[in-house]
Amino acid sequence: MMDGYAGKVLRIDLSTDEIIQEPLSKKMCEEFIGGRGFVAKTLYEELPPDTDPLGKNNLFIIATGPLSGHFLPASGKTHFGSKSPATGGYADSNMGGHFGPALKYAGFDMAVITGKAKTPTYLYIRDDIIEIRDAKAYWGKGSLTCEEMMKKDLGEDFQILTIGPAGEKLVKFACISHDFGRQAGRTGIGAVLGSKNIKAIAVKGTGSIPVFDLKKAYAKGKQAFKKVSEKPGFKGWTPEGTAGITDWVNEVGSFPAKNFQTSHIDHSHMINGKKVLERLKITDKACYCCPTPCGKYGKTKTSLGTAYMEGPEFETISLFGGSCMLESIEEIAYANYLCDELGIDTISGASVAAFAIECYEKGLITKEDIGKEIKFGDFDSIVYLLDLMSLKKNALGDLLSQGVKIASEKIKKGSEKFAIHVKGLEWTGYECRNAPSMMLAYMTADIGAHHNRAWVLGHDVVGAGTNVHDLITAGADSDTRPKAVIN
Ligand code: SF4
């Protein structure tokens, strides 16, 4: 077994109930390292090109890397891969939390799931005890509710990932939830689990991971934690999390307003990181072994309900607060909670809602199609639309559940011009009129419009020498924020 790795791959065929544990190949580790590399290699070699993303032959892959689960900063990420229901192409999404380390402690670096269970099912992994279990009691429950129920049933020490009703109903931007607020949000990976009749995966590992020299590894880990905490970005990132860049992105003219019709809003001061701290936050929350607790666990109270939730993070703020024009951080947080519970990606969910409102304003869909009048900035409208698309409540909800690309191709009448996506994946929270490199990053990202492959906004709007850490640090203090250079 190679040091750093758990040493095994778990393969489950839900159609035949076959469960295989096989050794992890040394060659694969050397050539593809782990995580995204393992996912890409496995999809390339094992997924037939004409596979239906929601068909039983699609693969659902969970992968960790050689550093996952070790005493190192932020070693808790878990990677997922599949063929995307949202784009029909490469699906790739990751989440923080504690799931990946638990999978490795159970002995597995990767799990490859295929087939389709006959009835609602969850996967139970406790070290090398692997079971396909009945999930009827959990089917239909919200993602967060399901996780809470399963923790009560199995024990707090299980790490659990779930899908919500949207995943069960095969909404094409359904996500995976974990740790009451960590999501693998993009590319519709939750719908792949739903298509396989898997409601959840629960894992508990009690083993350990081999390390070549434990003393040296521990010393390196301590050194890495120290280095991270001394980085300039640490000061800005930790207190407000990603919400800390809200005012800055707005000031440089890259905030998506009214379904990306403009690039600036007047109310960013009402929905920024400071408002998250003042009006929502109960406590900081971090992923496994992360010294930078960017998660803000809190409570929100609105006219439509009260909820406990994690977030909202920047993307959720920019798309609900900008693209949908909600002006209250409490309402944005509640929309965030609803997306989490229903099991949809906040980025795509907000973008689809904004697209629907613009269609309605332009007379391309009617009040009868929708079931009520809808408008930008109206909390009732946004909550109604999230429910409509996640639960496919009527024909329009069914259409919207397929994302803006397919919806616009069916609605037609020019709606394609304001369906904001790349490859069928809705844009994340940056308007790119003054940010050509960021636009290029969206256009060339392998999964579709996403900011995690290249975040080059700072270089576009402030200058090529911009240090991203400085921007983030400055974002926490509006008086020292770098000024935009807009040509
Ligand atoms: S707490 Fe935030 S910074 Fe730390 S690993 Fe999780 S997502 Fe990343």
Side-chain angles (χ1 to χ4, degrees):
M1 191 192 308
M2 287 182 68
D3 289 315
Y5 293 92
K8 284 189 295 183
V9 175
L10 175 63
R11 287 183 178 271
I12 299 177
D13 186 334
L14 296 160
S15 297
T16 60
D17 290 349
E18 188 177 34
I19 298 171
I20 297 172
Q21 301 182 36
E22 62 184 31
L24 181 71
S25 132
K26 187 172 179 226
K27 189 165 180 285
M28 183 160 93
C29 297
E30 286 170 350
E31 291 180 351
F32 295 92
I33 303 173
R36 194 181 294 162
F38 283 2
V39 164
K41 178 198 186 286
T42 308
L43 286 173
Y44 184 75
E45 289 183 351
E46 299 184 21
L47 188 79
D50 55 353
T51 300
D52 173 1
L54 297 174
K56 65 181 170 50
N57 292 333
N58 196 6
L59 301 178
F60 179 83
I61 303 169
I62 309 171
T64 63
L67 301 183
S68 308
H70 289 279
F71 177 63
L72 284 166
S75 54
K77 293 280 180 188
T78 311
H79 208 81
F80 301 94
S82 192
K83 183 169 182 178
S84 168
T87 68
Y90 173 53
D92 161 302
S93 197
N94 71 65
M95 67 180 190
H98 305 258
F99 189 91
L103 189 68
K104 276 186 82 171
Y105 300 150
F108 302 101
D109 299 284
M110 180 164 82
V112 183
I113 299 160
T114 188
K116 178 178 181 176
K118 287 184 189 68
T119 54
T121 289
Y122 79 90
L123 301 180
Y124 175 93
I125 303 169
R126 188 177 178 282
D127 296 324
D128 56 3
I129 301 168
I130 320 290
E131 294 172 2
I132 301 169
R133 290 187 171 185
D134 179 62
K136 276 196 211 83
Y138 307 123
W139 200 255
K141 304 291 183 204
S143 298
L144 308 172
T145 305
C146 178
E147 185 173 356
E148 197 177 352
M149 287 171 74
M150 291 185 75
K151 286 247 179 196
K152 273 192 192 130
D153 293 345
L154 300 176
E156 282 293 328
D157 47 0
F158 271 81
Q159 297 302 329
I160 296 166
L161 63 82
T162 61
I163 61 166
E168 297 170 16
K169 290 181 181 295
L170 312 183
V171 171
K172 291 195 172 175
F173 42 91
C175 69
I176 286 171
S177 269
H178 162 61
D179 201 25
F180 303 104
R182 292 287 159 193
Q183 275 81 25
R186 307 245 67 199
T187 66
I189 207 109
V192 178
L193 272 191
S195 74
K196 297 188 175 306
N197 261 333
I198 296 186
K199 178 67 181 175
I201 303 177
V203 61
K204 178 178 168 183
T206 59
S208 58
I209 309 165
V211 173
F212 178 70
D213 185 329
L214 194 57
K215 265 193 183 164
K216 274 193 185 154
Y218 180 69
K220 280 279 172 208
K222 273 180 79 173
Q223 199 183 7
F225 279 104
K226 188 165 176 286
K227 267 194 173 171
V228 169
S229 60
E230 286 167 359
K231 283 274 177 195
F234 187 77
K235 179 174 156 265
W237 197 257
T238 302
E240 299 177 12
T242 56
I245 63 170
T246 302
D247 285 330
W248 178 79
V249 175
N250 190 44
E251 187 175 311
V252 299
S254 291
F255 214 78
K258 278 195 163 184
N259 194 31
F260 292 79
Q261 290 178 39
T262 68
S263 56
H264 186 270
I265 57 170
D266 292 332
H267 60 274
S268 82
H269 62 288
M270 290 154 65
I271 59 171
N272 61 15
K274 287 187 177 50
K275 284 288 175 279
V276 172
L277 303 191
E278 279 169 28
R279 306 190 67 92
L280 304 173
K281 184 187 144 184
I282 296 171
T283 184
D284 291 323
K285 192 172 160 216
C287 301
Y288 175 88
C289 241
C290 180
T292 315
C294 75
K296 306 297 153 199
Y297 191 75
K299 182 181 178 183
T300 183
K301 209 171 166 189
T302 72
S303 56
L304 296 180
T306 299
Y308 289 91
M309 79 295 132
E310 183 176 330
E313 297 198 30
F314 170 73
E315 305 297 331
T316 308
I317 290 175
S318 63
L319 289 157
F320 279 114
S323 214
C324 295
M325 295 296 279
L326 292 180
E327 294 188 4
S328 130
I329 196 67
E330 286 88 348
E331 290 178 354
I332 293 170
Y334 193 78
N336 187 157
Y337 156 77
L338 270 185
C339 289
D340 291 356
E341 183 71 334
L342 289 164
I344 57 169
D345 175 27
T346 56
I347 295 168
S348 289
S351 297
V352 170
F355 167 78
I357 295 171
E358 188 164 354
C359 281
Y360 178 64
E361 285 194 344
K362 289 186 158 67
L364 311 185
I365 56 175
T366 65
K367 185 179 159 190
E368 287 66 41
D369 294 329
I370 304 159
K372 76 189 270 340
E373 285 186 29
I374 50 174
K375 58 183 177 188
F376 284 112
D378 179 47
F379 184 43
D380 275 0
S381 300
I382 307 303
V383 168
Y384 179 85
L385 285 166
L386 291 177
D387 234 33
L388 193 75
M389 65 180 86
S390 300
L391 302 176
K392 301 188 179 182
K393 280 189 158 172
N394 64 13
L396 183 73
D398 197 359
L399 186 59
L400 295 176
S401 78
Q402 302 186 55
V404 298
K405 177 175 183 284
I406 292 177
S408 69
E409 286 166 0
K410 299 247 169 77
I411 292 169
K412 295 196 173 79
K413 305 174 200 164
S415 63
E416 302 92 331
K417 287 187 185 150
F418 55 87
I420 312 295
H421 70 90
V422 172
K423 300 188 179 97
L425 193 70
E426 289 76 15
W427 281 27
T428 57
Y430 307 99
E431 212 294 325
C432 294
R433 279 176 178 82
N434 66 336
S437 314
M438 194 66 217
M439 172 73 90
L440 188 64
Y442 277 159
M443 289 162 66
T444 54
D446 49 8
I447 60 169
H450 197 58
H451 57 283
N452 275 0
R453 295 295 189 266
W455 193 91
V456 285
L457 182 67
H459 302 263
D460 273 331
V461 298
V462 184
T466 306
N467 182 330
V468 173
H469 288 137
D470 292 345
L471 294 181
I472 293 165
T473 306
D477 176 358
S478 61
D479 295 327
T480 59
R481 273 174 285 152
K483 296 298 171 223
V485 179
I486 303 175
N487 297 314

